[in-house]
Amino acid sequence: MNARRFVGKVMVVTGAAQGIGRGVALRAAAEGAKVLFVDRADFVAEVAAEATGADAAAFMADLETYEGAASTMDFAIKLFGRIDILVNGVGGAIRMRPYAEFEPAQIDAEIRRSLMPTLYTCHAVLPHMLAQGGGTIVNVSSNATRGIRRVPYSAAKGGVNAMTQSLAMEYGEHNIRVVAAAPGGTEAPPRRVPRNAAGDNEQEKVWMREAVTQVTESTFFKRYGTLDEQIAPILFLASDDAGYITGTVLPVAGGDNG
Ligand SMILES: NC(=O)c1ccc[n+]([C@@H]2O[C@H](COP(=O)([O-])OP(=O)(O)OC[C@H]3O[C@@H](n4cnc5c(N)ncnc54)[C@H](O)[C@@H]3O)[C@@H](O)[C@H]2O)c1
């Protein structure tokens, strides 16, 4: 890889221990960014140690709490002095089931996982971006804003899209860009941290397959995307190549626009 789009930039990536967040953080480091890998999984330090290129460090935080988000930004500022780019990778549907089958506490858990971390980190990073005269936020949304078997997750990501547009409008005059990528179903290696620690029973596996079928059939390619097909658009949005793009939610889902 020859691109060096992030030389001199400081990037904070949440959900960096695995999946899309991991890939974004490692590739940004390879392209010259100083990267803080943030996750609540302790192996995030091992992942940061894989980074080649510029400085990389790891920070453990639970971003479902405001303190987790604030301490992340404080740590990044102490370490690197500024935060040019924040990529919000934390999220992911915990359970797949018809909406009527969700228990109330399970609805709350989906919102806590896929909306609150992004709301909290955006709020916690803004004072730093305002003080330094600008910055870029890339939220990782989903095309599941229209999809079956995960209505609470759809609502959470719809919230992410709404805050992306409204924050962009509110802070554009401060030179802060806010954008989102909305991935479709993405092929990935087996997860070290499962979405649902309790695992799926036989009925839940059926509901999961129904969701996967709907997602696959909704693409024009009739296939999942690859991790690289998600990482590249996120890094484009994070880079200065996207300098006049803000408030945009970019579907990256093989023609399924969510
Ligand atoms: N993988 C897909 O098919 C797909 C499709 C559409 C959208 N997305 C979105 O892309 C993003 C990444 O998805 P993925 O499948 O690569 O991720 P993943 O589920 O494999 O990993 C998520 C990471 O976030 C961390 N995490 C979860 N909750 C956290 C918290 N409260 N505090 C700190 N860290 C926390 C986990 O430890 C894990 O390392 C998510 O926002 C997801 O909604 C993924």
Side-chain angles (χ1 to χ4, degrees), residues 15 17-21 39-41 61-64 89-92 113 140-142 153 157 183-186 191 193 195:
Q18 66 183 20
I20 294 171
D39 207 286
R40 67 178 171 192
D62 181 356
L63 298 173
E64 289 180 19
V90 168
R113 171 78 57 90
V140 183
S141 180
S142 174
Y153 174 69
K157 292 299 191 178
T186 304
R191 290 188 166 91
V193 183
R195 293 273 186 81

PDB file of all heavy atoms in Angstrom, residues 15 17-21 39-41 61-64 89-92 113 140-142 153 157 183-186 191 193 195, ligand 1:
ATOM      1  N   GLY A  15     -13.969   0.534  19.096  1.00  0.00           N
ATOM      2  CA  GLY A  15     -14.275  -0.812  18.593  1.00  0.00           C
ATOM      3  C   GLY A  15     -13.102  -1.353  17.790  1.00  0.00           C
ATOM      4  O   GLY A  15     -13.283  -2.092  16.819  1.00  0.00           O
ATOM      5  N   ALA A  17     -10.708  -3.452  18.561  1.00  0.00           N
ATOM      6  CA  ALA A  17     -10.122  -4.763  18.865  1.00  0.00           C
ATOM      7  C   ALA A  17     -10.409  -5.792  17.781  1.00  0.00           C
ATOM      8  O   ALA A  17      -9.687  -6.787  17.660  1.00  0.00           O
ATOM      9  CB  ALA A  17     -10.633  -5.269  20.220  1.00  0.00           C
ATOM     10  N   GLN A  18     -11.462  -5.585  17.006  1.00  0.00           N
ATOM     11  CA  GLN A  18     -11.786  -6.586  15.975  1.00  0.00           C
ATOM     12  C   GLN A  18     -12.650  -5.955  14.890  1.00  0.00           C
ATOM     13  O   GLN A  18     -13.129  -4.822  15.011  1.00  0.00           O
ATOM     14  CB  GLN A  18     -12.492  -7.806  16.580  1.00  0.00           C
ATOM     15  CG  GLN A  18     -13.863  -7.511  17.147  1.00  0.00           C
ATOM     16  CD  GLN A  18     -14.521  -8.738  17.802  1.00  0.00           C
ATOM     17  OE1 GLN A  18     -13.858  -9.696  18.169  1.00  0.00           O
ATOM     18  NE2 GLN A  18     -15.826  -8.680  17.961  1.00  0.00           N
ATOM     19  N   GLY A  19     -12.818  -6.716  13.815  1.00  0.00           N
ATOM     20  CA  GLY A  19     -13.761  -6.353  12.760  1.00  0.00           C
ATOM     21  C   GLY A  19     -13.382  -5.065  12.027  1.00  0.00           C
ATOM     22  O   GLY A  19     -12.213  -4.788  11.767  1.00  0.00           O
ATOM     23  N   ILE A  20     -14.400  -4.294  11.692  1.00  0.00           N
ATOM     24  CA  ILE A  20     -14.213  -3.094  10.879  1.00  0.00           C
ATOM     25  C   ILE A  20     -13.321  -2.081  11.604  1.00  0.00           C
ATOM     26  O   ILE A  20     -12.403  -1.498  11.010  1.00  0.00           O
ATOM     27  CB  ILE A  20     -15.597  -2.479  10.530  1.00  0.00           C
ATOM     28  CG1 ILE A  20     -16.371  -3.441   9.609  1.00  0.00           C
ATOM     29  CG2 ILE A  20     -15.441  -1.110   9.891  1.00  0.00           C
ATOM     30  CD1 ILE A  20     -17.836  -3.060   9.373  1.00  0.00           C
ATOM     31  N   GLY A  21     -13.545  -1.877  12.903  1.00  0.00           N
ATOM     32  CA  GLY A  21     -12.749  -0.909  13.654  1.00  0.00           C
ATOM     33  C   GLY A  21     -11.275  -1.275  13.655  1.00  0.00           C
ATOM     34  O   GLY A  21     -10.401  -0.413  13.453  1.00  0.00           O
ATOM     35  N   ASP A  39     -11.203   0.106  22.967  1.00  0.00           N
ATOM     36  CA  ASP A  39     -12.163  -1.006  23.034  1.00  0.00           C
ATOM     37  C   ASP A  39     -12.328  -1.386  24.499  1.00  0.00           C
ATOM     38  O   ASP A  39     -11.517  -1.010  25.343  1.00  0.00           O
ATOM     39  CB  ASP A  39     -11.636  -2.223  22.247  1.00  0.00           C
ATOM     40  CG  ASP A  39     -12.753  -3.109  21.724  1.00  0.00           C
ATOM     41  OD1 ASP A  39     -13.379  -3.844  22.541  1.00  0.00           O
ATOM     42  OD2 ASP A  39     -13.020  -3.076  20.508  1.00  0.00           O
ATOM     43  N   ARG A  40     -13.391  -2.145  24.799  1.00  0.00           N
ATOM     44  CA  ARG A  40     -13.486  -2.644  26.175  1.00  0.00           C
ATOM     45  C   ARG A  40     -12.886  -4.043  26.294  1.00  0.00           C
ATOM     46  O   ARG A  40     -12.756  -4.566  27.399  1.00  0.00           O
ATOM     47  CB  ARG A  40     -14.918  -2.596  26.687  1.00  0.00           C
ATOM     48  CG  ARG A  40     -15.881  -3.524  26.031  1.00  0.00           C
ATOM     49  CD  ARG A  40     -17.250  -3.399  26.687  1.00  0.00           C
ATOM     50  NE  ARG A  40     -18.243  -4.135  25.934  1.00  0.00           N
ATOM     51  CZ  ARG A  40     -19.543  -4.044  26.122  1.00  0.00           C
ATOM     52  NH1 ARG A  40     -20.016  -3.234  27.046  1.00  0.00           N
ATOM     53  NH2 ARG A  40     -20.377  -4.751  25.401  1.00  0.00           N
ATOM     54  N   ALA A  41     -12.512  -4.644  25.172  1.00  0.00           N
ATOM     55  CA  ALA A  41     -11.851  -5.961  25.203  1.00  0.00           C
ATOM     56  C   ALA A  41     -10.362  -5.768  25.492  1.00  0.00           C
ATOM     57  O   ALA A  41      -9.716  -4.927  24.855  1.00  0.00           O
ATOM     58  CB  ALA A  41     -12.033  -6.664  23.863  1.00  0.00           C
ATOM     59  N   ALA A  61     -11.880   1.088  27.480  1.00  0.00           N
ATOM     60  CA  ALA A  61     -12.974   1.893  28.030  1.00  0.00           C
ATOM     61  C   ALA A  61     -14.287   1.240  27.653  1.00  0.00           C
ATOM     62  O   ALA A  61     -14.412   0.637  26.576  1.00  0.00           O
ATOM     63  CB  ALA A  61     -12.932   3.307  27.466  1.00  0.00           C
ATOM     64  N   ASP A  62     -15.268   1.357  28.548  1.00  0.00           N
ATOM     65  CA  ASP A  62     -16.629   0.941  28.224  1.00  0.00           C
ATOM     66  C   ASP A  62     -17.376   2.170  27.724  1.00  0.00           C
ATOM     67  O   ASP A  62     -17.730   3.056  28.510  1.00  0.00           O
ATOM     68  CB  ASP A  62     -17.322   0.349  29.449  1.00  0.00           C
ATOM     69  CG  ASP A  62     -18.737  -0.119  29.102  1.00  0.00           C
ATOM     70  OD1 ASP A  62     -19.181   0.089  27.943  1.00  0.00           O
ATOM     71  OD2 ASP A  62     -19.393  -0.685  29.996  1.00  0.00           O
ATOM     72  N   LEU A  63     -17.616   2.230  26.422  1.00  0.00           N
ATOM     73  CA  LEU A  63     -18.204   3.429  25.818  1.00  0.00           C
ATOM     74  C   LEU A  63     -19.721   3.463  25.945  1.00  0.00           C
ATOM     75  O   LEU A  63     -20.354   4.402  25.448  1.00  0.00           O
ATOM     76  CB  LEU A  63     -17.753   3.539  24.359  1.00  0.00           C
ATOM     77  CG  LEU A  63     -16.229   3.699  24.234  1.00  0.00           C
ATOM     78  CD1 LEU A  63     -15.800   3.641  22.773  1.00  0.00           C
ATOM     79  CD2 LEU A  63     -15.740   4.985  24.880  1.00  0.00           C
ATOM     80  N   GLU A  64     -20.289   2.485  26.635  1.00  0.00           N
ATOM     81  CA  GLU A  64     -21.707   2.606  26.987  1.00  0.00           C
ATOM     82  C   GLU A  64     -21.865   3.519  28.205  1.00  0.00           C
ATOM     83  O   GLU A  64     -22.989   3.756  28.657  1.00  0.00           O
ATOM     84  CB  GLU A  64     -22.315   1.219  27.258  1.00  0.00           C
ATOM     85  CG  GLU A  64     -22.443   0.414  25.965  1.00  0.00           C
ATOM     86  CD  GLU A  64     -23.032  -0.969  26.150  1.00  0.00           C
ATOM     87  OE1 GLU A  64     -23.674  -1.234  27.173  1.00  0.00           O
ATOM     88  OE2 GLU A  64     -22.821  -1.801  25.236  1.00  0.00           O
ATOM     89  N   GLY A  89     -16.569   3.136  15.754  1.00  0.00           N
ATOM     90  CA  GLY A  89     -16.846   1.786  15.262  1.00  0.00           C
ATOM     91  C   GLY A  89     -17.721   0.946  16.174  1.00  0.00           C
ATOM     92  O   GLY A  89     -18.317  -0.036  15.731  1.00  0.00           O
ATOM     93  N   VAL A  90     -17.807   1.309  17.464  1.00  0.00           N
ATOM     94  CA  VAL A  90     -18.564   0.457  18.403  1.00  0.00           C
ATOM     95  C   VAL A  90     -20.022   0.366  17.992  1.00  0.00           C
ATOM     96  O   VAL A  90     -20.655   1.367  17.673  1.00  0.00           O
ATOM     97  CB  VAL A  90     -18.468   0.988  19.848  1.00  0.00           C
ATOM     98  CG1 VAL A  90     -19.486   0.296  20.752  1.00  0.00           C
ATOM     99  CG2 VAL A  90     -17.071   0.776  20.402  1.00  0.00           C
ATOM    100  N   GLY A  91     -20.531  -0.844  18.013  1.00  0.00           N
ATOM    101  CA  GLY A  91     -21.939  -1.085  17.697  1.00  0.00           C
ATOM    102  C   GLY A  91     -22.093  -2.518  17.215  1.00  0.00           C
ATOM    103  O   GLY A  91     -21.142  -3.303  17.251  1.00  0.00           O
ATOM    104  N   GLY A  92     -23.290  -2.848  16.780  1.00  0.00           N
ATOM    105  CA  GLY A  92     -23.556  -4.196  16.263  1.00  0.00           C
ATOM    106  C   GLY A  92     -24.777  -4.797  16.920  1.00  0.00           C
ATOM    107  O   GLY A  92     -24.942  -4.701  18.144  1.00  0.00           O
ATOM    108  N   ARG A 113     -25.838  -0.365  23.081  1.00  0.00           N
ATOM    109  CA  ARG A 113     -24.692  -0.839  22.299  1.00  0.00           C
ATOM    110  C   ARG A 113     -24.464  -0.008  21.043  1.00  0.00           C
ATOM    111  O   ARG A 113     -23.318   0.299  20.694  1.00  0.00           O
ATOM    112  CB  ARG A 113     -24.918  -2.307  21.896  1.00  0.00           C
ATOM    113  CG  ARG A 113     -23.907  -2.900  20.895  1.00  0.00           C
ATOM    114  CD  ARG A 113     -22.576  -3.286  21.526  1.00  0.00           C
ATOM    115  NE  ARG A 113     -22.727  -4.221  22.622  1.00  0.00           N
ATOM    116  CZ  ARG A 113     -22.712  -5.558  22.491  1.00  0.00           C
ATOM    117  NH1 ARG A 113     -22.528  -6.099  21.306  1.00  0.00           N
ATOM    118  NH2 ARG A 113     -22.858  -6.338  23.547  1.00  0.00           N
ATOM    119  N   VAL A 140     -19.832   4.904  12.179  1.00  0.00           N
ATOM    120  CA  VAL A 140     -20.120   3.673  11.441  1.00  0.00           C
ATOM    121  C   VAL A 140     -21.573   3.306  11.728  1.00  0.00           C
ATOM    122  O   VAL A 140     -21.913   2.903  12.841  1.00  0.00           O
ATOM    123  CB  VAL A 140     -19.154   2.532  11.806  1.00  0.00           C
ATOM    124  CG1 VAL A 140     -19.453   1.313  10.945  1.00  0.00           C
ATOM    125  CG2 VAL A 140     -17.704   2.975  11.620  1.00  0.00           C
ATOM    126  N   SER A 141     -22.404   3.505  10.725  1.00  0.00           N
ATOM    127  CA  SER A 141     -23.836   3.239  10.856  1.00  0.00           C
ATOM    128  C   SER A 141     -24.124   1.837  10.305  1.00  0.00           C
ATOM    129  O   SER A 141     -23.325   0.913  10.467  1.00  0.00           O
ATOM    130  CB  SER A 141     -24.605   4.330  10.114  1.00  0.00           C
ATOM    131  OG  SER A 141     -25.988   4.109  10.225  1.00  0.00           O
ATOM    132  N   SER A 142     -25.245   1.680   9.604  1.00  0.00           N
ATOM    133  CA  SER A 142     -25.592   0.378   9.016  1.00  0.00           C
ATOM    134  C   SER A 142     -26.721   0.572   8.009  1.00  0.00           C
ATOM    135  O   SER A 142     -27.548   1.479   8.169  1.00  0.00           O
ATOM    136  CB  SER A 142     -26.075  -0.586  10.098  1.00  0.00           C
ATOM    137  OG  SER A 142     -26.542  -1.784   9.514  1.00  0.00           O
ATOM    138  N   TYR A 153     -31.988  -2.309  16.784  1.00  0.00           N
ATOM    139  CA  TYR A 153     -30.701  -1.945  16.156  1.00  0.00           C
ATOM    140  C   TYR A 153     -30.945  -0.970  15.005  1.00  0.00           C
ATOM    141  O   TYR A 153     -30.210   0.008  14.841  1.00  0.00           O
ATOM    142  CB  TYR A 153     -30.024  -3.232  15.681  1.00  0.00           C
ATOM    143  CG  TYR A 153     -28.749  -3.055  14.882  1.00  0.00           C
ATOM    144  CD1 TYR A 153     -27.575  -2.584  15.480  1.00  0.00           C
ATOM    145  CD2 TYR A 153     -28.685  -3.416  13.536  1.00  0.00           C
ATOM    146  CE1 TYR A 153     -26.397  -2.453  14.748  1.00  0.00           C
ATOM    147  CE2 TYR A 153     -27.516  -3.294  12.801  1.00  0.00           C
ATOM    148  CZ  TYR A 153     -26.378  -2.806  13.411  1.00  0.00           C
ATOM    149  OH  TYR A 153     -25.213  -2.686  12.691  1.00  0.00           O
ATOM    150  N   LYS A 157     -29.286   2.774  14.741  1.00  0.00           N
ATOM    151  CA  LYS A 157     -28.490   3.275  13.611  1.00  0.00           C
ATOM    152  C   LYS A 157     -29.223   4.430  12.892  1.00  0.00           C
ATOM    153  O   LYS A 157     -28.566   5.314  12.348  1.00  0.00           O
ATOM    154  CB  LYS A 157     -28.167   2.140  12.645  1.00  0.00           C
ATOM    155  CG  LYS A 157     -27.203   1.101  13.236  1.00  0.00           C
ATOM    156  CD  LYS A 157     -25.845   1.697  13.606  1.00  0.00           C
ATOM    157  CE  LYS A 157     -24.825   0.611  13.935  1.00  0.00           C
ATOM    158  NZ  LYS A 157     -23.482   1.146  14.253  1.00  0.00           N
ATOM    159  N   PRO A 183     -22.466   0.408   6.393  1.00  0.00           N
ATOM    160  CA  PRO A 183     -22.136  -0.887   5.800  1.00  0.00           C
ATOM    161  C   PRO A 183     -23.358  -1.787   5.678  1.00  0.00           C
ATOM    162  O   PRO A 183     -24.299  -1.713   6.470  1.00  0.00           O
ATOM    163  CB  PRO A 183     -21.154  -1.519   6.805  1.00  0.00           C
ATOM    164  CG  PRO A 183     -20.699  -0.405   7.686  1.00  0.00           C
ATOM    165  CD  PRO A 183     -21.823   0.592   7.700  1.00  0.00           C
ATOM    166  N   GLY A 184     -23.294  -2.663   4.698  1.00  0.00           N
ATOM    167  CA  GLY A 184     -24.229  -3.787   4.640  1.00  0.00           C
ATOM    168  C   GLY A 184     -23.584  -4.990   5.307  1.00  0.00           C
ATOM    169  O   GLY A 184     -22.551  -4.875   5.970  1.00  0.00           O
ATOM    170  N   GLY A 185     -24.171  -6.149   5.130  1.00  0.00           N
ATOM    171  CA  GLY A 185     -23.617  -7.370   5.705  1.00  0.00           C
ATOM    172  C   GLY A 185     -22.169  -7.552   5.258  1.00  0.00           C
ATOM    173  O   GLY A 185     -21.862  -7.374   4.085  1.00  0.00           O
ATOM    174  N   THR A 186     -21.309  -7.884   6.210  1.00  0.00           N
ATOM    175  CA  THR A 186     -19.867  -7.887   5.943  1.00  0.00           C
ATOM    176  C   THR A 186     -19.243  -9.199   6.390  1.00  0.00           C
ATOM    177  O   THR A 186     -19.425  -9.611   7.545  1.00  0.00           O
ATOM    178  CB  THR A 186     -19.196  -6.703   6.687  1.00  0.00           C
ATOM    179  OG1 THR A 186     -19.842  -5.494   6.286  1.00  0.00           O
ATOM    180  CG2 THR A 186     -17.720  -6.620   6.370  1.00  0.00           C
ATOM    181  N   ARG A 191     -15.578 -13.906  15.409  1.00  0.00           N
ATOM    182  CA  ARG A 191     -15.359 -12.825  16.383  1.00  0.00           C
ATOM    183  C   ARG A 191     -14.741 -13.365  17.676  1.00  0.00           C
ATOM    184  O   ARG A 191     -15.268 -14.315  18.256  1.00  0.00           O
ATOM    185  CB  ARG A 191     -16.699 -12.172  16.740  1.00  0.00           C
ATOM    186  CG  ARG A 191     -17.281 -11.377  15.606  1.00  0.00           C
ATOM    187  CD  ARG A 191     -18.520 -10.583  16.055  1.00  0.00           C
ATOM    188  NE  ARG A 191     -18.850  -9.600  15.051  1.00  0.00           N
ATOM    189  CZ  ARG A 191     -19.707  -9.850  14.041  1.00  0.00           C
ATOM    190  NH1 ARG A 191     -20.317 -11.008  13.939  1.00  0.00           N
ATOM    191  NH2 ARG A 191     -19.942  -8.909  13.147  1.00  0.00           N
ATOM    192  N   VAL A 193     -14.733 -11.497  20.380  1.00  0.00           N
ATOM    193  CA  VAL A 193     -15.806 -11.069  21.298  1.00  0.00           C
ATOM    194  C   VAL A 193     -17.120 -11.257  20.562  1.00  0.00           C
ATOM    195  O   VAL A 193     -17.378 -10.584  19.561  1.00  0.00           O
ATOM    196  CB  VAL A 193     -15.694  -9.563  21.647  1.00  0.00           C
ATOM    197  CG1 VAL A 193     -16.777  -9.170  22.643  1.00  0.00           C
ATOM    198  CG2 VAL A 193     -14.326  -9.223  22.165  1.00  0.00           C
ATOM    199  N   ARG A 195     -21.076 -10.956  19.597  1.00  0.00           N
ATOM    200  CA  ARG A 195     -22.066  -9.883  19.782  1.00  0.00           C
ATOM    201  C   ARG A 195     -22.954 -10.196  20.992  1.00  0.00           C
ATOM    202  O   ARG A 195     -23.301  -9.325  21.759  1.00  0.00           O
ATOM    203  CB  ARG A 195     -22.934  -9.780  18.532  1.00  0.00           C
ATOM    204  CG  ARG A 195     -22.200  -9.290  17.279  1.00  0.00           C
ATOM    205  CD  ARG A 195     -22.201  -7.779  17.235  1.00  0.00           C
ATOM    206  NE  ARG A 195     -21.645  -7.248  16.009  1.00  0.00           N
ATOM    207  CZ  ARG A 195     -22.286  -7.142  14.846  1.00  0.00           C
ATOM    208  NH1 ARG A 195     -23.543  -7.565  14.743  1.00  0.00           N
ATOM    209  NH2 ARG A 195     -21.696  -6.617  13.799  1.00  0.00           N
TER     210      ARG A 195
HETATM  211  N1  LIG B   1     -20.162  -6.607  10.511  1.00  0.00           N
HETATM  212  C1  LIG B   1     -21.246  -6.260   9.812  1.00  0.00           C
HETATM  213  O1  LIG B   1     -21.794  -7.060   9.042  1.00  0.00           O
HETATM  214  C2  LIG B   1     -21.794  -4.858   9.937  1.00  0.00           C
HETATM  215  C3  LIG B   1     -22.831  -4.448   9.069  1.00  0.00           C
HETATM  216  C4  LIG B   1     -23.344  -3.150   9.193  1.00  0.00           C
HETATM  217  C5  LIG B   1     -22.842  -2.309  10.164  1.00  0.00           C
HETATM  218  N2  LIG B   1     -21.851  -2.747  11.000  1.00  0.00           N
HETATM  219  C6  LIG B   1     -21.372  -1.822  12.036  1.00  0.00           C
HETATM  220  O2  LIG B   1     -19.961  -1.737  11.958  1.00  0.00           O
HETATM  221  C7  LIG B   1     -19.421  -1.564  13.267  1.00  0.00           C
HETATM  222  C8  LIG B   1     -18.370  -2.636  13.507  1.00  0.00           C
HETATM  223  O3  LIG B   1     -18.997  -3.908  13.353  1.00  0.00           O
HETATM  224  P1  LIG B   1     -18.147  -5.251  13.437  1.00  0.00           P
HETATM  225  O4  LIG B   1     -19.058  -6.373  13.088  1.00  0.00           O
HETATM  226  O5  LIG B   1     -16.888  -5.080  12.711  1.00  0.00           O
HETATM  227  O6  LIG B   1     -17.827  -5.233  15.011  1.00  0.00           O
HETATM  228  P2  LIG B   1     -17.717  -6.439  16.075  1.00  0.00           P
HETATM  229  O7  LIG B   1     -19.055  -6.708  16.643  1.00  0.00           O
HETATM  230  O8  LIG B   1     -16.971  -7.579  15.466  1.00  0.00           O
HETATM  231  O9  LIG B   1     -16.783  -5.731  17.145  1.00  0.00           O
HETATM  232  C9  LIG B   1     -17.218  -4.649  17.886  1.00  0.00           C
HETATM  233  C10 LIG B   1     -16.089  -4.212  18.810  1.00  0.00           C
HETATM  234  O10 LIG B   1     -16.620  -3.196  19.648  1.00  0.00           O
HETATM  235  C11 LIG B   1     -16.249  -3.484  20.991  1.00  0.00           C
HETATM  236  N3  LIG B   1     -17.278  -2.956  21.881  1.00  0.00           N
HETATM  237  C12 LIG B   1     -18.581  -3.345  21.958  1.00  0.00           C
HETATM  238  N4  LIG B   1     -19.206  -2.646  22.905  1.00  0.00           N
HETATM  239  C13 LIG B   1     -18.285  -1.792  23.431  1.00  0.00           C
HETATM  240  C14 LIG B   1     -18.325  -0.813  24.450  1.00  0.00           C
HETATM  241  N5  LIG B   1     -19.457  -0.583  25.150  1.00  0.00           N
HETATM  242  N6  LIG B   1     -17.204  -0.124  24.737  1.00  0.00           N
HETATM  243  C15 LIG B   1     -16.060  -0.360  24.061  1.00  0.00           C
HETATM  244  N7  LIG B   1     -15.950  -1.284  23.092  1.00  0.00           N
HETATM  245  C16 LIG B   1     -17.056  -1.988  22.783  1.00  0.00           C
HETATM  246  C17 LIG B   1     -16.160  -4.994  21.049  1.00  0.00           C
HETATM  247  O11 LIG B   1     -15.344  -5.414  22.141  1.00  0.00           O
HETATM  248  C18 LIG B   1     -15.572  -5.334  19.696  1.00  0.00           C
HETATM  249  O12 LIG B   1     -14.159  -5.305  19.704  1.00  0.00           O
HETATM  250  C19 LIG B   1     -20.602  -1.608  14.215  1.00  0.00           C
HETATM  251  O13 LIG B   1     -20.998  -0.296  14.550  1.00  0.00           O
HETATM  252  C20 LIG B   1     -21.674  -2.310  13.438  1.00  0.00           C
HETATM  253  O14 LIG B   1     -22.969  -1.925  13.846  1.00  0.00           O
HETATM  254  C21 LIG B   1     -21.319  -4.001  10.900  1.00  0.00           C
END
